[in-house]
Amino acid sequence: MKRTVFILIGMALCLVLADKVQAQRCLPGMKGLRLTAGMADGFHSASRRNELGYHFGLSMDSYTKGCSKWVFGAEYLQKYHPYKDTRLPMSQFTAEGGYYYNFLSDANK
């Protein structure tokens, strides 16, 4: 019950405090920075405190003509795997780079 009330109050505050809506445009040369973070093995609780993993990521988007974009980024993942009576930490670094070609789009944008 408390969770539902908290969510409803948060939604109401978002509606009351928002005075205008802005949409992201795909303008050539526009750049964006994306920061992500989260739990890798579910939600945090006191009973699972030593079992959870986490991840962090950072990427940069650069839009080109036609609303296509270049993406460059990196991510770090930390997980724990059980082994007998202990747990083994596993770290993973990932890099990404790519070109997203926009071929299906609304002509009225």
Side-chain angles (χ1 to χ4, degrees):
M1 181 66 183
K2 288 182 183 180
R3 182 177 182 188
T4 305
V5 171
F6 181 73
I7 291 172
L8 290 175
I9 290 173
M11 290 173 57
L13 284 174
C14 288
L15 292 173
V16 169
L17 298 177
D19 59 345
K20 58 184 170 180
V21 177
Q22 298 177 350
Q24 181 178 357
R25 301 287 305 188
C26 299
L27 302 173
M30 185 175 74
K31 296 182 192 259
L33 192 63
R34 184 180 345 174
L35 177 65
T36 59
M39 304 305 287
D41 294 324
F43 293 101
H44 179 76
S45 67
S47 63
R48 297 189 63 201
R49 181 176 177 159
N50 292 328
E51 300 174 10
L52 291 176
Y54 55 89
H55 67 89
F56 296 102
L58 179 69
S59 66
M60 186 189 79
D61 303 336
S62 179
Y63 288 92
T64 62
K65 189 175 182 179
C67 207
S68 298
K69 66 180 176 178
W70 285 98
V71 177
F72 301 100
E75 188 165 316
Y76 174 74
L77 171 68
Q78 176 74 43
K79 286 184 77 170
Y80 300 98
H81 297 283
Y83 180 73
K84 296 186 181 179
D85 294 335
T86 186
R87 61 189 187 118
L88 302 173
M90 189 260 320
S91 297
Q92 177 180 340
F93 294 94
T94 307
E96 72 171 316
Y99 184 72
Y100 289 83
Y101 178 71
N102 187 16
F103 66 92
L104 183 61
S105 178
D106 184 10
N108 295 326
K109 59 181 174 177

